[in-house]
Amino acid sequence: MDSHLFSKTKIESLDLANRIVIPPMCQYSAANGQATEWHLMHYGTLSLSGAGLLIVEATAVAPEGRISYADLGIWDDKSAFALSKVVDFIRLHSPIPLALQISHAGRKASTDLSWKSNNFIHPSAPNGWQTIAPSAIPLSTGGTIPRELTIPEIDQIVLQFVRAAQRAVAIGFNAIELHGAHGYLLSQFLSPITNKRKDAYGGSLENRMRLVLEVFDAVKAGIPSDVPVGIRISATDWIEGGWDLAQSIELAKLLEKRGCAYIHVSGGGVDGGLQRMPELRPGYQLPYAEAIKKAVRIPVIGVGLITVPQEAEDAISSGKADLIAVGRGFLYDPRWAWHAAAALGAKVAVPPQYSRCEPHTLKGLFCNE
Ligand SMILES: Cc1cc2nc3c(=O)[nH]c(=O)nc-3n(C[C@H](O)[C@H](O)[C@H](O)COP(=O)(O)O)c2cc1C
């Protein structure tokens, strides 16, 4: 029987060769927000992976919206130009659809590089800055106390997302993903744990969703209508009294009505000290994707500890998700999709330069790009 994972699909008008997604993964390798040779090498490799969609890492809409000082940015012409070189480089040899995740880290900004310490850098120390957030609440694990955003600053952030999306489209990205997950700024507004505002952006569910919906509407209206705009959310904070699946379903339905292209369903991250994660087993977040998929008709991407091709295949065939993102699996094995095609009896496109590596026992595995 034909593989479900390798069946063609579409995100709005964007054609995907299969349902394998490489999710955004920060590389902490930029210089002043600008992409470097590392990004050429890393994304060049992943662009030959045969995946159906490559989502480029969280890219900050403003300098203070970076997680660390080495995050990618797309807040000005210089950072956009540096990233355009990565897109152009990929396009020399790969037609893979490319999305850019645009992001603001809010209170989780101003950290050291993840492989060094993961610690916050004090605003007065080199490479540190004052963080901002819906409310002046630090993470329970400590770190900088963020400054509460004013309404004019919130309006400014909406504009920053729009400008970032416009730049991304101008340099050749095929889709935009809003980073509404993992306790970064948009997620901080959604969560009652981090959002204690008394104005129109806090309190009720409607108010906490306001910024995400404003950003979505403004980005959608600010770029050509044929460029899909999707969103990544944390389906739950895994904290009592926090953001949860029922609220995620409400948000997904509203976003669908407004023209959202897809919902990418992750989890957690609002406060590592308070969250109580379920047992980490393959596909542990898929039940959330499945519940959201039941509530909307737009594509849902499932993610989380999926490394075995059959697990991805089963998730699609059993209707838990429309697409499956494999993150660390692709860092470990950039040819994950080739090996998945081999395991599932499917075909995958490879560059002609590599066609001679097709195993004798698997003739017909490769189809030309
Ligand atoms: C090195 C690394 C960087 C990541 N950076 C991002 C990011 O920029 N944006 C995001 O939404 N998630 C990020 N994530 C989370 C992944 O996209 C993915 O959701 C997570 O790794 C779980 O999927 P996996 O088990 O297939 O790796 C990152 C994960 C890793 C390992």
Side-chain angles (χ1 to χ4, degrees):
M1 211 179 63
D2 287 348
S3 159
H4 293 87
L5 185 65
F6 280 87
S7 60
K8 290 188 170 110
T9 191
K10 272 176 175 283
I11 291 182
E12 294 182 349
S13 58
L14 193 60
D15 288 313
L16 273 52
N18 57 54
R19 290 152 186 269
I20 302 169
V21 176
I22 304 179
M25 285 181 284
C26 281
Q27 296 299 298
Y28 308 106
S29 298
N32 299 317
Q34 296 165 33
T36 63
E37 285 79 4
W38 174 258
H39 298 94
L40 296 175
M41 184 159 68
H42 171 65
Y43 290 112
T45 302
L46 292 180
S47 74
L48 305 181
S49 65
L53 176 67
L54 170 54
I55 308 177
V56 166
E57 68 195 81
T59 298
V61 301
E64 64 279 11
R66 292 173 293 175
I67 304 168
S68 80
Y69 59 89
D71 282 26
L72 270 187
I74 187 156
W75 59 73
D76 62 4
D77 289 347
K78 269 189 180 169
S79 50
F81 178 67
L83 196 50
S84 77
K85 291 201 266 183
V86 178
V87 177
D88 294 349
F89 184 68
I90 290 172
R91 287 291 172 249
L92 291 174
H93 293 293
S94 171
I96 193 167
L98 286 176
L100 182 67
Q101 185 185 56
I102 54 173
S103 175
H104 195 301
R107 75 170 186 167
K108 284 176 74 175
S110 186
T111 70
D112 208 340
L113 307 188
S114 67
W115 56 80
K116 279 195 181 160
S117 78
N118 242 335
N119 290 344
F120 283 96
I121 299 181
H122 192 272
S124 62
N127 293 324
W129 60 91
Q130 175 60 54
T131 56
I132 48 181
S135 304
I137 306 169
L139 280 145
S140 66
T141 43
T144 318
I145 301 178
R147 186 175 58 71
E148 180 174 317
L149 284 161
T150 63
I151 299 273
E153 286 172 331
I154 293 175
D155 295 342
Q156 188 59 30
I157 284 170
V158 176
L159 272 181
Q160 289 169 343
F161 271 95
V162 175
R163 299 266 149 75
Q166 288 170 335
R167 288 191 189 101
V169 173
I171 64 174
F173 279 95
N174 309 109
I176 301 294
E177 178 171 286
L178 303 179
H179 197 347
H182 302 162
Y184 294 108
L185 188 73
L186 297 182
S187 163
Q188 287 159 31
F189 270 84
L190 294 173
S191 174
I193 303 295
T194 36
N195 183 347
K196 306 283 184 199
R197 296 180 74 93
K198 302 272 180 273
D199 59 13
Y201 290 94
S204 65
L205 174 61
E206 191 188 353
N207 283 357
R208 283 180 283 115
M209 292 191 299
R210 190 175 309 281
L211 178 62
V212 173
L213 295 175
E214 280 182 3
V215 167
F216 178 82
D217 288 346
V219 165
K220 188 78 196 140
I223 61 174
S225 58
D226 61 342
V227 179
V229 181
I231 188 166
R232 191 172 224 203
I233 60 168
S234 284
T236 171
D237 288 340
W238 286 309
I239 302 171
E240 216 181 307
W243 181 256
D244 59 16
L245 180 60
Q247 297 173 77
S248 292
I249 288 173
E250 285 314 302
L251 177 64
K253 286 197 222 160
L254 289 175
L255 284 164
E256 176 179 40
K257 269 196 205 137
R258 294 162 122 93
C260 189
Y262 67 84
I263 313 280
H264 192 165
V265 183
S266 190
V270 100
D271 193 313
L274 300 178
Q275 76 183 18
R276 297 287 169 261
M277 292 183 75
E279 190 199 339
L280 290 182
R281 50 182 171 72
Y284 68 102
Q285 295 183 141
L286 285 176
Y288 304 110
E290 185 177 18
I292 291 172
K293 185 170 153 49
K294 283 196 178 118
V296 295
R297 286 179 304 277
I298 51 176
V300 169
I301 307 176
V303 66
L305 269 183
I306 297 163
T307 54
V308 177
Q310 192 63 47
E311 290 164 2
E313 175 71 16
D314 293 345
I316 306 277
S317 64
S318 62
K320 291 191 173 69
D322 299 290
L323 300 108
I324 288 295
V326 174
R328 287 162 293 181
F330 265 101
L331 295 185
Y332 182 71
D333 174 10
R335 308 279 186 254
W336 191 89
W338 299 16
H339 300 140
L344 299 171
K347 288 182 187 300
V348 67
V350 303
Q353 291 90 334
Y354 288 164
S355 56
R356 284 175 67 187
C357 75
E358 187 180 52
H360 290 299
T361 49
L362 292 168
K363 280 286 170 230
L365 171 66
F366 294 163
C367 50
N368 282 343
E369 287 209 316

